[in-house]
């Protein structure tokens, strides 16, 4: 579902499909997405800094 929302923001999907996806988002899914993005970002930063140092 998150892939469909990102595709909508990039203009690939219709606005009606985006509104349907946004209605199906729960607080748990938002928190899960936030935690996942943070873990990925922190991992990338740690990998880059370990390669430089």
């Amino acid at each position: 579902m998150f892939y469909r929302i990102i595709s909508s923001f990039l203009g690939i999907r219709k606005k009606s499909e985006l509104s349907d996806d946004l209605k199906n988002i729960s607080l748990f899914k938002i928190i899960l997405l936030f935690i996942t993005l943070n873990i990925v970002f922190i991992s990338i930063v740690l990998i880059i800094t370990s390669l430089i140092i």
Side-chain angles (χ1 to χ4, degrees):
M1 176 175 26
F2 293 119
Y3 176 75
R4 290 172 56 183
I5 293 172
I6 292 171
S7 297
S8 295
F9 287 131
L10 294 175
I12 298 171
R13 299 177 57 83
K14 297 178 183 176
K15 288 183 181 180
S16 61
E17 293 172 344
L18 174 62
S19 63
D20 291 338
D21 287 342
L22 291 176
K23 288 178 186 176
N24 293 330
I25 283 186
S26 66
L27 182 61
F28 174 73
K29 290 180 182 177
I30 292 173
I31 292 172
L32 184 66
L33 176 65
F34 180 74
I35 291 172
T36 305
L37 289 176
N38 280 326
I39 290 172
V40 169
F41 177 73
I42 290 170
S43 299
I44 291 172
V45 169
L46 289 175
I47 290 171
I48 290 173
T49 54
S50 68
L51 291 175
I52 292 174
I53 296 177

